[in-house]
Amino acid sequence: APSGVMTDPTARLRALVENGVAKRFDLRAWSAQSGCARARAIERLETLLEQARPDVIKLIVMESLQGTPESDLDVMVYGECAPRAFLEFINAHARTLALERAEEGDETRRGDACGTASTRAALTYYDLGSGAGKSVLTAALSPYFARCRGIELLPCVHAIAEILVEDFSRDVAPRDDGVSPSVSVSLGDIFVDLSWIDADFVFCNCVTWDEATMARLASHAAKMRRGALFVTALCPLPSDAFEVVAEDEIDFSWGRVDAIVHRKT
């Protein structure tokens, strides 16, 4: 690496924090001072996520990819969804799945499919390539998920995600129905860590992925449980094991893109 350039992602993140570029925000203290301690969970989450701005995270990703085969990817190599719109999107589709699971009589997932305060252990959400963990934290506000997980390959953004998960547990949870879902992020390769195959709802921002990678993803996804939902950004899963049940536009930090909702047959 060039002289003076930090290669340790933790050291880089610490330097950013110390210099105020992504300074950690004390949401609890702010709430007490501003009289907004009873803000809705989505409002607390949006305030929390302001400390990790997309342009700063994208810069960190670009720096970490310098000198690698991925360094020539376009500016969409990192992007994240707008929390409020993404929560509405996943709620619309997870509700139908929750009803189906309840009708199947799955005791481990049974709950109030209408998403009231009585909702308990229900669906499992995974974000493949979870970045700073923002979609994982957004999904944790949905009444249909009891477990929200993320897997990220790049240590630099995973370090940010770990901080945000800690802050979420302290300052945002519980959600509006009173439940504090299990939330975690892990550093790893989604083609090695296949824990996501057991998920009910998977999201993958695969805008820049090539055909070979998509085919590899689809081959693993085909092992998911019947009825499971798999959402991709722009690129559909090349698999006969899924049917496309919806195509919606969702807002990313760099613009709007088609989200393709697949259902495991």
Side-chain angles (χ1 to χ4, degrees):
S3 177
V5 175
M6 287 181 291
T7 57
D8 178 4
T10 303
R12 184 188 295 113
L13 180 58
R14 185 180 300 112
L16 286 170
V17 172
E18 290 173 350
N19 287 282
V21 177
K23 189 172 183 180
R24 193 166 185 175
F25 185 71
D26 190 338
L27 180 58
R28 186 178 296 276
W30 175 84
S31 295
Q33 294 172 4
S34 65
C36 297
R38 296 187 179 181
R40 293 173 58 233
I42 186 63
E43 295 166 350
R44 296 196 299 274
L45 178 63
E46 288 174 330
T47 302
L48 174 67
L49 297 183
E50 287 180 4
Q51 67 176 308
R53 297 186 178 277
D55 51 352
V56 174
I57 299 174
K58 185 171 75 171
L59 176 61
I60 294 173
V61 171
M62 292 173 65
E63 289 179 345
S64 73
L65 294 177
Q66 287 181 353
T68 71
E70 291 79 18
S71 61
D72 61 348
L73 290 177
D74 59 34
V75 294
M76 295 190 295
V77 69
Y78 180 82
E80 53 192 45
C81 300
R84 198 173 294 250
F86 188 64
L87 180 59
E88 293 177 358
F89 168 78
I90 59 178
N91 276 342
H93 296 288
R95 181 180 185 277
T96 300
L97 180 57
L99 286 167
E100 292 177 354
R101 293 291 193 244
E103 289 173 359
E104 291 171 2
D106 189 336
E107 296 296 336
T108 64
R109 303 163 192 262
R110 188 185 297 276
D112 181 352
C114 294
T116 67
S118 64
T119 302
R120 292 298 180 263
L123 308 178
T124 297
Y125 173 93
Y126 262 83
D127 183 353
L128 307 185
S130 51
K134 294 187 179 183
S135 98
V136 177
L137 300 181
T138 301
L141 298 188
S142 170
Y144 307 111
F145 298 114
R147 294 159 296 277
C148 298
R149 310 280 186 250
I151 304 174
E152 172 56 43
L153 184 64
L154 298 177
C156 56
V157 285
H158 174 67
I160 299 173
E162 289 186 311
I163 291 174
L164 291 179
V165 168
E166 290 178 5
D167 288 358
F168 177 90
S169 298
R170 183 193 66 197
D171 297 329
V172 178
R175 61 195 185 204
D176 293 339
D177 63 1
V179 174
S180 295
S182 172
V183 181
S184 65
V185 290
S186 60
L187 180 64
D189 186 333
I190 64 169
F191 297 114
V192 176
D193 179 356
L194 298 176
S195 57
W196 57 270
I197 289 176
D198 294 326
D200 300 287
F201 193 116
V202 172
F203 174 73
C204 184
N205 178 8
C206 50
V207 169
T208 62
W209 293 17
D210 59 25
E211 291 183 3
T213 305
M214 290 299 299
R216 190 179 178 193
L217 177 67
S219 67
H220 289 300
K223 303 169 188 173
M224 295 178 69
R225 180 183 178 185
R226 184 180 62 82
L229 298 180
F230 198 116
V231 179
T232 59
L234 191 61
C235 304
L237 284 175
S239 173
D240 293 334
F242 289 86
E243 61 176 341
V244 175
V245 294
E247 292 188 37
D248 299 326
E249 283 193 337
I250 55 177
D251 292 319
F252 274 85
S253 52
W254 35 259
R256 295 177 67 83
V257 70
D258 287 338
I260 306 174
V261 184
H262 310 75
R263 183 179 185 276
K264 178 66 169 56
T265 57

